């Protein structure tokens, strides 16, 4: 859905009104287009004394085709600012952040990226180091709110001990326009049993040879996911309810994919889906549990049948389907299971108790399953979208719609492609050390965690 306010804010009269009344001024976000370089510009690198990445950080960026320098020039602008904070072992050392970022921020280009790399606090080695590392979260979230006005974002990566060589796919994502609507987030590498990043034969098609099953794939977020994973080389198996079979088959025909028309809440759905995947491809590498519905009512007016349906589609059916696929060993080693949560599952939402409960359940699903399948090299993560411009937005009252758009550091709603790019990042073979994460794609919404 078009954001008319954003268009108004960028015409000459609108600019004058917005500036003089102090109204929100949503920047135009840069998004990646196929064939473009990951980063159109130079990344400036800094590090606290004693940090453990050393020259490895510059080498990682170089291998991804990203140009970086270690010394700031006053006359240059930088598309990204990356600071290795793994060497900060006490609160006094946090001054290193300020000393790097304060002058560098004056040289940050529009739609720029701030990335801080720390150590998982539980692996920091001492109480003082753990406290200092935890403080990085407050720094990144505050910095994100400062730089959002020009379309820039700030994010934190906690790299577990031994995960130093697994940063590539995450830095590629966070420094590129693919992460346009990911802001103020904390990403943890090495939470579960660490798996080395798998090699990528063709960076332009990192998912070549992979099979991706996506539920709710006929339209909206699911369609965007299907198109994006196909762009990256995956073969797509799209699933949706029989009522949407025509739309689903049209999308799958365009992508050369396989369509499954099935209600995921049906008692035999796990077997039907597993049989179809086995018959078409012999197995699956990526499973995206995208299907979901809302039946919004205040709790005092909630009908039990609607409550049960919302919960089952978002979290009950995904558990059963995943269990069937795992039991039959149809998720291949190195596989990816990805759930779709929501900021409603983190912060709650008035009139959405069923939806919030379901989406919090997705987080529980990720936390539990990620530990159980780590030994098989399978990762389990979730995306928690915020306000995304889908058809559902059209049904919202104007006031709620505008509040949803403006109450973020980027002062606008995201696009379906923003969620899809995050899915592609999780699915990337180089993301093997990322498991047990829930990352919000919300433009750093000012509500919730």
């Amino acid at each position: 859905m078009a954001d008319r306010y954003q268009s108004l804010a960028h015409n000459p009269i609108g600019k004058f009104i917005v500036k003089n009344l102090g109204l929100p001024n949503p920047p135009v976000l840069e998004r990646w287009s196929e064939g473009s370089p990951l980063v159109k510009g130079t990344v400036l690198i800094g590090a606290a004394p004693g940090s453990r990445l050393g020259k490895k950080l510059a080498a990682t960026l170089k291998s991804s085709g990203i140009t970086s320098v270690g010394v700031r020039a006053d006359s240059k602008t930088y598309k990204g600012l990356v600071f290795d904070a793994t060497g900060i072992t006490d609160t006094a050392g946090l001054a290193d952040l300020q000393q790097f970022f304060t002058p560098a921020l004056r040289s940050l280009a529009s739609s720029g990226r701030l990335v801080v790399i720390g150590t998982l606090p539980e692996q920091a080695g001492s109480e003082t180091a753990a406290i200092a590392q935890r403080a990085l979260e407050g720094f990144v979230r505050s910095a994100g709110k400062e730089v959002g006005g020009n379309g820039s974002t700030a994010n934190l990566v906690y790299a577990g001990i031994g995960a130093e060589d697994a940063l590539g796919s995450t830095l590629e994502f966070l420094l590129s326009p693919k992460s346009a609507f990911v802001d103020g987030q904390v990403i943890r590498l090495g939470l579960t049993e660490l798996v080395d990043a798998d090699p990528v034969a063709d960076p332009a098609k990192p998912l070549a040879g992979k099979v991706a099953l996506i539920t709710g794939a006929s339209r909206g977020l699911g369609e965007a996911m299907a198109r994006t994973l196909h762009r990256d080389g995956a073969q797509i198996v799209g699933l949706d309810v029989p009522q949407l079979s025509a739309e689903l088959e049209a999308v799958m025909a365009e992508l050369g994919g396989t369509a499954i028309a099935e209600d995921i809440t049906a008692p035999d759905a796990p077997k039907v889906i597993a049989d179809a995947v086995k018959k078409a491809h012999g197995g699956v590498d990526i499973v995206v549990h995208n299907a979901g519905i809302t039946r919004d009512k205040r709790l005092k007016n909630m009908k039990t049948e609607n409550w049960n349906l919302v919960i089952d589609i978002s979290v009950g059916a995904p558990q059963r389907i995943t269990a069937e696929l795992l039991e039959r060993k149809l998720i291949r080693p190195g596989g990816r299971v990805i759930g779709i949560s929501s900021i409603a599952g983190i912060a709650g939402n008035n009139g959405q108790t069923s939806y919030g409960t379901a989406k919090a359940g997705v987080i529980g699903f990720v936390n539990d399953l990620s530990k159980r399948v780590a030994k098989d090299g399978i990762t389990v993560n979730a995306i928690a979208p915020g306000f995304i411009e889908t058809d559902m937005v059209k049904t919202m009252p104007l006031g709620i719609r505008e509040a949803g758009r403006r109450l973020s550091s980027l002062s606008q709603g995201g696009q379906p492609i923003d969620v899809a790019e995050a899915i592609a990042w999780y699915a990337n073979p180089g993301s093997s050390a990322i498991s047990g994460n829930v990352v919000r794609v919300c433009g750093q919404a000012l509500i919730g965690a």
Side-chain angles (χ1 to χ4, degrees):
M1 183 175 180
D3 185 344
R4 294 180 180 178
Y5 175 86
Q6 184 181 36
S7 300
L8 171 65
H10 288 276
N11 71 39
I13 296 175
K15 286 181 181 179
F16 177 82
I17 295 172
V18 165
K19 180 179 180 180
N20 284 276
L21 294 182
L23 298 173
N25 186 11
V28 176
L29 302 183
E30 180 183 338
R31 288 183 170 88
W32 188 77
S33 58
E34 194 168 0
S36 297
L38 279 174
V39 178
K40 296 179 182 178
T42 301
V43 173
L44 177 65
I45 297 175
S51 290
R52 58 189 167 90
L53 296 179
K55 295 181 179 179
K56 186 169 291 186
L57 181 54
T60 297
L61 295 180
K62 183 178 180 180
S63 68
S64 298
I66 300 172
T67 302
S68 66
V69 296
V71 179
R72 186 179 69 88
D74 290 334
S75 59
K76 289 202 67 172
T77 59
Y78 298 96
K79 202 64 175 177
L81 307 174
V82 180
F83 189 77
D84 178 4
T86 58
I88 296 178
T89 57
D90 55 34
T91 52
L94 294 169
D96 294 331
L97 289 165
Q98 181 271 323
Q99 291 167 14
F100 172 75
F101 281 105
T102 294
L105 281 173
R106 302 188 184 105
S107 304
L108 184 66
S110 61
S111 289
R113 300 287 184 263
L114 277 62
V115 178
V116 176
I117 304 171
T119 299
L120 287 168
E122 56 268 38
Q123 297 180 0
S126 70
E127 178 184 342
T128 58
I131 292 169
Q133 290 295 314
R134 179 58 179 79
L136 299 177
E137 297 187 29
F139 173 84
V140 164
R141 288 180 173 132
S142 297
K145 293 177 180 179
E146 287 192 19
V147 301
N150 77 339
S152 297
T153 63
N155 294 286
L156 170 63
V157 180
Y158 279 135
I161 304 298
E164 296 84 1
D165 292 327
L167 282 164
S169 68
T170 298
L171 291 177
E172 289 172 6
F173 175 64
L174 292 180
L175 289 171
S176 77
K178 294 181 178 183
S179 62
F181 211 59
V182 177
D183 195 9
Q185 297 306 292
V186 179
I187 296 157
R188 296 170 172 85
L189 276 63
L191 275 179
T192 58
E193 182 178 327
L194 187 63
V195 178
D196 293 335
D198 294 332
V200 176
D202 181 1
K205 299 288 183 183
L207 301 181
K210 306 292 186 182
V211 176
L213 168 66
I214 303 167
T215 68
S218 68
R219 57 187 180 181
L221 294 181
E223 180 184 354
M225 294 170 194
R227 293 185 182 281
T228 302
L229 297 187
H230 176 263
R231 176 202 71 190
D232 285 358
Q235 294 178 285
I236 306 300
V237 178
L239 182 150
D240 221 317
V241 292
Q243 302 93 302
L244 296 174
S245 60
E247 293 94 327
L248 177 65
E249 289 172 4
V251 174
M252 291 303 108
E254 183 180 344
L255 302 181
T258 303
I260 303 175
E262 181 67 23
D263 179 350
I264 61 172
T265 66
D268 63 343
K271 183 180 184 303
V272 169
I273 294 166
D275 287 346
V277 165
K278 183 176 181 179
K279 180 179 179 181
H281 299 287
V284 67
D285 302 281
I286 303 154
V287 180
V288 185
H289 293 295
N290 167 69
I293 64 166
T294 57
R295 292 293 185 269
D296 295 345
K297 287 287 184 181
R298 302 289 293 277
L299 185 56
K300 64 183 179 181
N301 299 321
M302 181 67 64
K303 293 182 178 179
T304 299
E305 58 268 29
N306 286 339
W307 172 280
N308 291 340
L309 188 60
V310 169
I311 302 290
D312 200 38
I313 290 176
S314 281
V315 69
Q319 290 179 75
R320 297 191 296 273
I321 293 166
T322 304
E324 179 81 10
L325 294 171
L326 289 170
E327 175 68 23
R328 295 172 60 174
K329 300 189 183 303
L330 292 176
I331 300 179
R332 299 184 179 110
R336 306 283 189 262
V337 178
I338 304 168
I340 302 300
S341 181
S342 167
I343 59 171
I346 297 171
N349 206 3
N350 187 358
Q352 286 196 311
T353 51
S354 58
Y355 190 70
T357 301
K359 294 306 183 180
V362 173
I363 297 172
F365 171 67
V366 166
N367 291 341
D368 173 69
L369 185 61
S370 60
K371 299 179 181 69
R372 292 193 284 113
V373 298
K375 65 183 184 301
D376 299 317
I378 297 171
T379 68
V380 187
N381 296 284
I383 295 299
F387 188 97
I388 305 295
E389 300 281 359
T390 62
D391 286 343
M392 191 182 299
V393 166
K394 298 175 183 178
T395 66
M396 291 182 176
L398 177 62
I400 294 175
R401 184 165 66 233
E402 283 303 302
R405 284 173 171 153
R406 308 310 160 205
L407 290 178
S408 75
S409 294
L410 299 174
S411 300
Q412 61 194 283
Q415 299 296 323
I417 186 62
D418 298 324
V419 178
E421 293 285 17
I423 297 292
W425 158 58
Y426 277 153
N428 190 296
S431 298
S432 299
I434 307 168
S435 195
N437 279 251
V438 179
V439 172
R440 292 169 55 172
V441 179
C442 65
Q444 198 180 20
L446 308 184
I447 300 173

